[in-house]
Every structure is written in C-alpha cells, then in structure tokens.
Amino acid sequence: MKKVLIIVNILLFVVLVFILSYPRIQAGRVKEISIVYNKNINSLPLFVAQENGYFDSLKLKVNLVEVGRPGDEVEQVGRGAMGAGFGTSWDQFALKASASPEIYRIIYNVKASITSPQSALVSPKNKNIRTFRDLTKRGARIGYLRDTRQMDMIRYIMASERVPEENYNLMPYTFAEMKDENTLRFVDAMVVTEPLRTYLIKHNLVNVIEDGFLEKRVINPMMFGVGYTSRVNVQLNKDGVARLVESLSEAINFIRKDPQAAERILRKYLDLGEDTFSINLPTYEKYSEISDLTEINRTLQKFVEMQVMFREVSFDNSILRRDEIQK
C-alpha cells in the first residue's frame, strides 16, 4: 500500500510539473497563421511587422497571400479559411461583412482627415483643368482605383453638385496603371490616394485640383482601411492571433515613433523606389484604442447614403476585445 501511495504521489508530482510548465512549453512553440493582404498603404503595419522581425521574435510563422480579387478576402477570413485580412478598404469591408458583422474582429483601423488627407483630385499637366467645375462639362473622363467603391463616391459627389451622369465618364485603373504616365494622356482627372497622391505630385506629373477630395466631399474623418480576423480564428488559433495582434501593436508603435523609417518600408513593399519625398501616412488606430464608435458609425451611414452599402448595420460588436485573446 505504501508503494502505491509513493507511485501515486510521483504521478501527481509529474502532472503538477506538466501543468505548471505547459504555458512555457506552448509559448516556446512556433505558431502559424495565414494572412491575406492588399498591397496598399492600409497594410503598412503588416509590412513593418514583417520587415522588423516582430513575427519571428514572437515565434509566429506567417504565410502571406496577396489578395486575388479585392473583397473576396473578407469572406475567406470570416469562415476561417484565412487567419486574418489586412489592407481591405473600409467600403469593401463594410459591404462584404454587412451580412454577419458580428463574426469579425477588427485588429486595427486606418483613417484619414482633412488635415492629413489620403486622397486628392488631380489633373494631368497637359490638361487645362484647374477647378472642380472644369470637370462638369460634357465628356470629362475621370479615373479612379479599380476594385474599389470610389466609383459610387464620385457619383455621389457629382450628384451633390448636380452634375448629370451623361456629362462625365468614370474609368477604372489599377494602381500600376495610375502610376503610368501613359494613363495620364487618356484622362482629364483622377481621384488618387496615398502613396500615389504624393508620388504624382512630387514627380510634377499632375496639378492638384482639390486636395483631401474624398475627406472634404464625403466625410471627415474618413475610415480608409482595416485589419481584421474573425471569431472562428480567435477560437481555433487563439495563441496565434494573440501573437499576431501583439506584433501589429509593436508595428503601429514603430510607425508613430519613426514615420520616415516606416515610409521607407512602405516604398520597398509597394515598389516605389528610393525617392526621398515624404508620404502622407494615415492614422493607424489599434483595436484597444477604438472606444468611441461614432466615427465608424458615421462613415457607415454615409456608405448607405452613397449606396456603397444597401442597408444600415452595426459593427459595435466587431472590435476585438482584449479578453478574447488573453490566456
């Protein structure tokens, strides 16, 4: 009987040691997560975390997949096929997530304002267009970024100025096409966002018709982009999501502390070369800093007004909570 008690005590001791050691064992293991991202300024926290080794330092293996058709990534993250999505524009995210907003968890928010604009209405140097009213004449060709809802926004702005739709043509272009000087021969104006806004202005390729075009004429401040995961990912890969969130928090701190270094990383990942001009970075807001949802709700209401979305929905329960990723 005494031997049995000794064996039982030894087993209990081994179990206790394992229980106490398990968190350290888990923390030492490499976790893995797949991320789908848009190659744009809204993904800068991701680029910084990757470039500065924040993922490696937290033993997080990240599999990066660039978005195929913009908007599809929202559904992929929602059902857990991808662990997180970054760089999605708020208009795309709101539209695609509106069916079930409660299943998403916002990790960070990207916003712009009139004092720190992300958008501009510009005209090629060879066009005699200096004001917005110059674009109200019949036949004006206005370029916008393909696979975004900017088309609806421009139509909304034109309608608010009582410009008939037959007076202008909206022409979609990719980021690479908008950067190409050949494109400037075919348009009268373009709505451009950072970093293309600064790139075209600093290379003296365009005249600025109206800086902060979307911020002034749609809503200020304006929600521009978002980084997010989903409830299913938090449940199935809690530790991986927690490490991802910590890495991105470090990245946002870095962007705030050294924006010039962050700009160099952005140029590298967006293939903008080694220009020395200063890009106007948006505001990156951590999930833990989003306590007032007023700005997001105002933007959502405006999206409905512009028919970017077709019904009002609430994202009040879509912000990641700290307790969801705590051990």
Side-chain angles (χ1 to χ4, degrees), residues 165-200:
E165 284 195 30
E166 59 267 22
N167 277 26
Y168 60 90
N169 298 299
L170 299 181
M171 307 176 70
Y173 293 101
T174 65
F175 178 87
E177 289 170 338
M178 296 182 89
K179 186 183 171 186
D180 191 337
E181 292 184 41
N182 289 323
T183 300
L184 297 176
R185 301 174 184 176
F186 299 102
V187 296
D188 297 297
M190 289 195 303
V191 175
V192 293
T193 54
E194 289 290 10
L196 191 61
R197 165 188 170 273
T198 296
Y199 180 88
L200 293 174

Side-chain angles (χ1 to χ4, degrees), residues 17-31:
V17 169
F18 176 77
I19 291 173
L20 294 175
S21 303
Y22 185 74
R24 291 196 298 272
I25 294 172
Q26 285 296 95
R29 287 180 177 172
V30 175
K31 292 294 181 178

Side-chain angles (χ1 to χ4, degrees), residues 23-88:
R24 291 196 298 272
I25 294 172
Q26 285 296 95
R29 287 180 177 172
V30 175
K31 292 294 181 178
E32 189 169 346
I33 193 166
S34 295
I35 296 173
V36 58
Y37 73 100
N38 287 265
K39 197 174 180 180
N40 59 35
I41 197 170
N42 295 327
S43 291
L44 181 56
L46 171 65
F47 302 151
V48 169
Q50 180 80 354
E51 185 71 10
N52 288 355
Y54 298 152
F55 297 139
D56 292 337
S57 66
L58 291 173
K59 297 187 183 306
L60 182 65
K61 180 182 178 182
V62 172
N63 302 313
L64 294 180
V65 179
E66 191 172 348
V67 167
R69 187 170 63 180
D72 287 354
E73 72 274 17
V74 180
E75 187 272 336
Q76 292 174 332
V77 174
R79 60 183 169 87
M82 299 298 291
F86 296 108
T88 305

Side-chain angles (χ1 to χ4, degrees), residues 107-202:
I107 298 173
Y108 70 82
N109 189 37
V110 186
K111 61 183 181 182
S113 65
I114 291 175
T115 55
S116 183
Q118 284 295 293
S119 71
L121 180 65
V122 300
S123 178
K125 284 287 185 179
N126 63 338
K127 303 290 183 178
N128 189 27
I129 296 174
R130 295 293 180 269
T131 69
F132 177 80
R133 298 310 303 178
D134 292 333
L135 290 172
T136 63
K137 302 171 184 177
R138 186 177 295 274
R141 295 171 296 184
I142 304 173
Y144 69 94
L145 188 59
R146 185 189 299 274
D147 296 320
T148 68
R149 305 309 298 269
Q150 286 183 8
M151 178 178 67
D152 299 306
M153 297 181 190
I154 297 170
R155 283 176 175 165
Y156 168 83
I157 293 169
M158 289 297 197
S160 66
E161 294 291 332
R162 299 185 180 182
V163 181
E165 284 195 30
E166 59 267 22
N167 277 26
Y168 60 90
N169 298 299
L170 299 181
M171 307 176 70
Y173 293 101
T174 65
F175 178 87
E177 289 170 338
M178 296 182 89
K179 186 183 171 186
D180 191 337
E181 292 184 41
N182 289 323
T183 300
L184 297 176
R185 301 174 184 176
F186 299 102
V187 296
D188 297 297
M190 289 195 303
V191 175
V192 293
T193 54
E194 289 290 10
L196 191 61
R197 165 188 170 273
T198 296
Y199 180 88
L200 293 174
I201 293 171
K202 295 300 182 181

Side-chain angles (χ1 to χ4, degrees), residues 39 52 98 128 134 162 179 218 231-232 254 290 302:
K39 197 174 180 180
N52 288 355
S98 61
N128 189 27
D134 292 333
R162 299 185 180 182
K179 186 183 171 186
V218 176
R231 189 170 58 194
V232 66
F254 179 85
I290 307 175
K302 181 61 71 171

